[in-house]
């Protein structure tokens, strides 16, 4: 371990250095000038400082203050060597951050005991810090594993609903990616975008409660059948809203509101404008964009520019204008998503 010694007296430096290096495994680095030693400390991290109080230019108390101001030096032991028997000096030194004192003339046995104790303190702190860092790494790793498992579970849950609907393919991946692009353009934080991207695939979870005769019907639905189909929004909300997970809570909101329209003509509640939750307004655009540009049993995939035109026409009617503008401003990224996750 390295012990930094600062004393303007050459003999004192030699004596203290010899005593320090008499302890196995320790190396002394001595300086006559406090400012020079501080320059060294800005790039090095000694395990212990031994500093004289009475020095020209910068006394020991100012040195302690300067050391404590350096990053990562708040816990390094500092021993002050002083011949002064003034309690006010000791109080000021303690207030500045000194850990212990040794009085002049230095008595070898006392000095070695104090130095040994200070080095043990430093070693214990380092071991504790390393242990804390290791535990933090383990917690971070385990947390990421849990999050990854949660993402996989949610995606599997979303796919379970989508597999009942032949109109999907990579729909949920593309749609979630479009939603993230919109969220990013609207100023969402990375964490908010992550939540949106994970929750968006749950938008049609309620279709697991839709009868096959309606869900898989090749022709137009009757008004009664359409009413049953629309219930998937409420079913999805009922399934997801009882869980405390932020992702599931967001998924519940999306499931319930992604078929609402900005002008109030949507379902299930006929909400309008900003009364529709933002996540629902975002997914409304993302879901329709993917539906338009994907092959369905009842239609071919629309050309990209025709889909763009549809979003523009629906701006302020079907769709939140801000969400439409956001996806248009990220249009080249949206096209990349279409190609990357093509069916």
């Amino acid at each position: 371990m390295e012990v930094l010694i600062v004393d303007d007296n050459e003999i004192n430096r030699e004596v203290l250095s010899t005593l320090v290096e008499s302890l196995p495994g320790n190396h002394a680095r001595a300086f006559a000038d406090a400012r020079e030693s501080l320059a060294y400390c800005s790039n090095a991290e000694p395990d212990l400082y031994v500093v004289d109080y009475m020095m020209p230019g910068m006394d020991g108390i100012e040195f302690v203050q300067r050391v404590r101001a350096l990053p990562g030096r708040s816990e390094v032991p500092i021993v002050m060597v002083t011949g002064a028997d003034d309690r006010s000096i000791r109080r000021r030194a303690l207030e500045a951050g000194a850990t212990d004192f040794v009085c002049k003339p230095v008595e070898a046995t006392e000095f070695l005991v104090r130095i040994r104790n200070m080095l043990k303190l430093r070693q214990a702190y380092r071991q504790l810090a390393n242990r804390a860092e290791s535990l933090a790494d383990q917690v971070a790793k385990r947390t990421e594993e849990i999050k990854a498992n949660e993402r996989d579970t949610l995606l599997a849950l979303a796919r379970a609903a989508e597999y009942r609907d032949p109109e999907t393919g990579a729909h949920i991946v593309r749609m979630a990616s479009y939603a993230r692009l919109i969220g990013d353009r609207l100023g969402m934080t990375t964490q908010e975008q992550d939540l949106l991207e994970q929750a968006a695939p749950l938008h049609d979870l309620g279709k697991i409660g839709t009868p096959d005769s309606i869900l898989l019907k090749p022709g137009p639905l009757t008004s009664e059948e359409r009413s049953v189909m629309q219930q998937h929004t409420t079913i999805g909300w009922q399934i997801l809203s009882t869980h405390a997970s932020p992702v599931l809570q967001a998924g519940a909101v999306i499931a319930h509101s992604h078929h609402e329209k900005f002008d109030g003509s949507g379902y299930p509640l006929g909400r309008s404008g900003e009364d529709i939750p933002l996540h629902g307004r975002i997914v409304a655009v993302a879901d329709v964009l993917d539906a338009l540009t994907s092959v369905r049993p009842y239609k071919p995939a629309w050309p990209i520019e025709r889909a763009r035109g549809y979003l523009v026409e629906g701006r302020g009617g079907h769709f939140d204008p801000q969400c439409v503008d956001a996806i248009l401003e990220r249009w080249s990224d949206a096209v990349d998503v279409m190609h990357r996750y093509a069916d």
Side-chain angles (χ1 to χ4, degrees), residues 43-336:
N43 296 313
E45 294 188 25
D47 298 290
L48 172 65
Y49 298 86
V50 179
V51 57
D52 188 31
Y53 167 63
M54 292 293 293
M55 294 185 295
M58 179 188 298
D59 65 21
I61 292 178
E62 184 179 353
F63 175 85
V64 172
Q65 292 172 330
R66 296 284 191 91
V67 168
R68 291 303 187 209
L70 294 173
R73 304 304 198 281
S74 62
E75 302 297 334
V76 181
I78 302 177
V79 175
M80 182 171 288
V81 181
T82 177
D85 192 23
D86 190 333
R87 289 183 178 275
S88 66
I89 293 176
R90 295 198 173 204
R91 185 185 69 252
R92 287 170 54 210
L94 289 171
E95 290 173 349
T99 312
D100 201 357
F101 298 90
V102 173
C103 292
K104 292 181 179 179
V106 174
E107 200 280 316
T109 301
E110 178 189 3
F111 179 79
L112 289 174
V113 169
R114 291 183 184 277
I115 295 304
R116 186 184 293 112
N117 289 341
M118 290 298 101
L119 290 174
K120 285 182 178 179
L121 177 65
R122 176 60 173 168
Q123 188 174 34
Y125 174 80
R126 279 191 165 181
Q127 290 174 344
L128 182 62
N130 291 338
R131 176 61 175 164
E133 184 177 353
S134 176
L135 288 174
D137 289 342
Q138 292 178 37
V139 169
K141 181 179 179 181
R142 182 57 183 152
T143 299
E144 186 53 40
E145 290 175 353
I146 292 172
K147 288 182 178 179
N149 289 337
E150 182 182 37
R151 287 193 295 267
D152 290 344
T153 300
L154 292 172
L155 191 58
L157 182 62
R159 289 186 184 280
E162 297 289 353
Y163 266 112
R164 296 195 62 241
D165 186 345
E167 304 176 354
T168 54
H171 165 62
I172 58 176
V173 177
R174 292 190 300 266
M175 184 274 299
S177 298
Y178 299 149
R180 186 182 186 106
L181 291 175
I182 296 171
D184 178 49
R185 192 66 189 84
L186 292 179
M188 285 186 173
T189 65
T190 300
Q191 290 76 14
E192 290 170 336
Q193 293 174 46
D194 290 342
L195 178 66
L196 173 63
E197 188 173 22
Q198 292 176 46
L202 300 172
H203 67 299
D204 276 340
L205 181 66
K207 285 184 177 180
I208 63 176
T210 303
D212 286 347
S213 59
I214 295 176
L215 186 65
L216 305 179
K217 185 177 180 179
L221 300 178
T222 66
S223 59
E224 292 81 7
E225 291 170 335
R226 187 175 301 106
S227 177
V228 173
M229 172 67 84
Q230 292 177 355
Q231 291 175 15
H232 80 275
T233 57
T234 302
I235 294 172
W237 179 80
Q238 291 172 338
I239 293 172
L240 297 169
S241 63
T242 58
H243 300 278
S245 163
V247 177
L248 294 181
Q249 285 292 317
V253 170
I254 290 170
H256 204 218
S257 61
H258 73 287
H259 281 296
E260 300 286 3
K261 296 184 179 180
F262 201 73
D263 62 6
S265 63
Y267 65 89
L269 301 178
R271 291 181 175 180
S272 63
E274 294 187 1
D275 286 340
I276 305 169
L278 178 58
H279 282 178
R281 285 179 271 148
I282 290 174
V283 171
V285 174
D287 188 30
V288 169
L289 172 59
D290 191 67
L292 294 176
T293 55
S294 300
V295 175
R296 294 292 185 260
Y298 50 85
K299 73 167 188 66
W302 283 20
I304 293 175
E305 288 308 310
R306 183 183 176 191
R308 179 189 177 105
Y310 185 89
L311 295 180
V312 173
E313 290 175 8
R315 186 181 181 279
H318 187 162
F319 308 114
D320 180 346
Q322 292 186 83
C323 295
V324 173
D325 293 345
I327 196 64
L328 295 181
E329 289 170 7
R330 298 296 300 271
W331 192 250
S332 62
D333 296 317
V335 173
D336 288 342

